[in-house]
Amino acid sequence: MLDLRRRQFMTLLGGAAAWPMAAQAQQPPMPVIGFLDVINSPGRLAAFHQGLGESGYVLGQNVGIEIRSAEGHYNRFPEFAADLVRRRVSVIVAPATTPAALAAKAATTTIPIVFGVGDDPVKLGLVANLARPGGNATGINFFTAELAAKRLGLLRELLPAAMRVAVLANPADPIRLETIVTEVKAAAGAVGLQLQVVNASTSREIDVAFATLAAAPPDALFVGPDPFFYSRRGQLALQAARHAIPASYAIRDYAEAGGLMSYGTNITDAYHQVGVYAGRILKGAKPADLPAVNQVRACDQPPGREDDRP
């Protein structure tokens, strides 16, 4: 009789120990974000995490992340996007460049996508319209090309005698290249400036571009907004100073790296907004129902123009 009671007690005890394990086994798997970016920028990734945290998601606690950084090699995005689809991530985020967003869009029609692009997402085919995207993608348009006229105007204020302006552009992103050159040409024509376009898509090509410019120095340099150029901002600032070419950039970080002046959209804030949208999607929102947002808050200004900051 004593052995029987002991067996019953041990059975009950074993069952009680199994309850937490059974409950744990029934919990849904942790969602995973696929993160496509041009470069690995800890500061911008932190801004994304902050936006994600507004929906209660904390990396390593209730959400995972798979980061794929092309390190300037835009042709790797299709491979990275396909890999994230095979891994069945919960959402794909492409926060800062058109090639990454287009690669994600081409790789899946079912996994939600949150993008950040500098051009019209309707024209790019990422969404049907801004208010009702209608597919599996939504995100932020941070208007890099549309600010060309403002940047050229600031250059003209700084250098009123300038007549010739060189534009540094990245042919690895042909869509952005065409948009930037078109916008800058239109803005330059309106103020009577002559343009010279030079291309670079590698660190070595940046050096070659400056050597070309040094042979017949322009009055100023307009560096096109591009994530790869951002990753080489120190090199760009050094080359511009070495060749005594006044240069304008799209992001404040260039000026902090030694560049002359900058004016553009707050890209770090765009990463934050992309994180907000990713969190909402993980909570159950559909990309088709989240409007594609026009993010135009500027934070980058030339020195001495604090009064222009919003």
Side-chain angles (χ1 to χ4, degrees):
M1 186 67 175
L2 181 60
D3 289 342
L4 176 61
R5 289 178 180 176
R6 176 180 292 180
R7 285 196 296 270
Q8 290 174 340
F9 174 75
M10 294 301 294
T11 299
L12 289 172
L13 186 62
W19 289 342
M21 296 177 63
Q24 184 177 5
Q26 293 175 1
Q27 291 179 355
M30 181 184 295
V32 176
I33 297 168
F35 196 89
L36 284 174
D37 212 348
V38 178
I39 58 171
N40 186 6
S41 174
R44 292 180 175 183
L45 186 59
F48 171 78
H49 287 160
Q50 289 174 358
L52 195 63
E54 293 184 13
S55 293
Y57 288 99
V58 178
L59 183 64
Q61 294 185 14
N62 56 359
V63 67
I65 190 167
E66 289 278 349
I67 298 177
R68 299 292 182 272
S69 175
E71 298 303 323
H73 300 287
Y74 290 16
N75 60 338
R76 301 198 67 186
F77 283 127
E79 166 198 348
F80 289 157
D83 178 56
L84 293 175
V85 171
R86 284 193 298 270
R87 292 174 182 271
R88 299 182 180 180
V89 296
S90 305
V91 58
I92 296 177
V93 169
T97 184
T98 297
L102 291 177
K105 185 70 172 177
T108 179
T109 58
T110 56
I111 296 175
I113 297 167
V114 183
F115 57 76
V117 294
D119 206 347
D120 181 0
V122 177
K123 184 178 71 174
L124 294 173
L126 292 170
V127 298
N129 65 68
L130 297 180
R132 303 284 291 184
N136 66 317
T138 188
I140 310 297
N141 175 12
F142 42 79
F143 286 111
T144 54
E146 289 84 345
L147 296 175
K150 178 67 173 177
R151 284 179 60 193
L152 279 179
L154 292 171
L155 263 178
R156 203 53 177 298
E157 287 184 33
L158 185 67
L159 304 165
M163 294 299 298
R164 295 177 54 250
V165 175
V167 178
L168 183 65
N170 186 354
D173 186 350
I175 295 176
R176 180 177 296 202
L177 172 65
E178 180 183 1
T179 301
I180 292 297
V181 171
T182 299
E183 292 286 339
V184 175
K185 280 185 176 179
V191 294
L193 290 172
Q194 301 171 13
L195 287 187
Q196 173 189 3
V197 179
V198 290
N199 294 330
S201 58
T202 67
S203 179
R204 180 180 178 278
E205 289 176 358
I206 289 175
D207 290 339
V208 171
F210 273 95
T212 300
L213 294 176
D219 298 315
L221 174 65
F222 182 103
V223 177
D226 183 87
F228 171 68
F229 290 162
Y230 173 82
S231 72
R232 304 305 304 165
R233 58 194 180 276
Q235 178 187 4
L236 289 166
L238 180 63
Q239 287 284 21
R242 177 178 297 165
H243 296 288
I245 302 175
S248 169
Y249 307 92
I251 306 296
R252 180 189 296 276
D253 300 45
Y254 288 92
E256 293 175 350
L260 174 64
M261 60 186 293
S262 65
Y263 182 88
T265 308
N266 188 331
I267 301 298
T268 301
D269 185 59
Y271 273 70
H272 177 268
Q273 294 296 329
V274 168
V276 170
Y277 261 23
R280 292 178 64 181
I281 288 172
L282 291 176
K283 282 288 188 182
K286 304 296 183 184
D289 300 327
L290 293 175
V293 178
N294 290 329
Q295 195 260 14
V296 296
R297 187 166 71 86
C299 75
D300 305 308
Q301 305 280 349
R305 297 188 63 89
E306 298 287 337
D307 55 314
D308 286 347
R309 289 184 191 157

